[in-house]
Amino acid sequence: MADSTQNKGFTLPAPTTAVKQPAANASQPVVLTITPSNLGIVAGPQPRAYVIAGGVLLVLLIAFFFAKGAYANYRAGKQVSPGAANASGWCLFILLTGLAAAAVLSVLDPVKFITPIFMAPLFGISLVALVLMFVTGRRS
């Protein structure tokens, strides 16, 4: 049996203080500067977050592709020509992709991506796709 008086396991290092104590006769006040790097805060999302967001967007695109096919079959069943139904389905795919990209980007880094430079094109494309989806999917 092992001797119980000796600890051969993991030991933590002694704690250290990050702030130095001022000298007793110091005439200058001590200024402590706190920056995000001092606190261990890293600005922006980590590369892992980008990979996860890309994976979520890929899964959504696969689901939207199946929804596109289902919508095109639905429109073709409503006496719309197959070409128009397929075009309407692709417009639905573009609409959903634009909205999903805006949602994923806004969750990924709201400070950076919820700006007009990123959101305006995504919502503009989605709006155009919505209008085209209804225009091309009408009965002829």
Side-chain angles (χ1 to χ4, degrees), residues 51-67 93 96-97 100 104:
V51 171
I52 292 171
V56 167
L57 194 58
L58 181 66
V59 168
L60 288 173
L61 288 176
I62 292 169
F64 296 158
F65 186 75
F66 286 111
F93 179 80
L96 294 175
T97 300
V104 167

Side-chain angles (χ1 to χ4, degrees), residues 56-94:
V56 167
L57 194 58
L58 181 66
V59 168
L60 288 173
L61 288 176
I62 292 169
F64 296 158
F65 186 75
F66 286 111
K68 175 214 89 75
Y71 183 74
N73 288 336
Y74 167 75
R75 294 305 301 160
K78 294 285 184 179
Q79 304 303 321
V80 177
S81 69
N86 192 33
S88 181
W90 278 112
C91 289
L92 174 69
F93 179 80
I94 293 169

Side-chain angles (χ1 to χ4, degrees), residues 79-139:
Q79 304 303 321
V80 177
S81 69
N86 192 33
S88 181
W90 278 112
C91 289
L92 174 69
F93 179 80
I94 293 169
L95 166 73
L96 294 175
T97 300
L99 294 178
V104 167
L105 287 176
S106 65
V107 169
L108 181 64
D109 191 3
V111 174
K112 182 178 180 182
F113 292 121
I114 300 183
T115 57
I117 193 109
F118 286 105
M119 291 297 149
L122 289 173
F123 287 133
I125 289 170
S126 297
L127 183 65
V128 169
L130 178 69
V131 170
L132 287 175
M133 183 181 79
F134 286 123
V135 169
T136 59
R138 290 189 301 184
R139 292 183 197 169

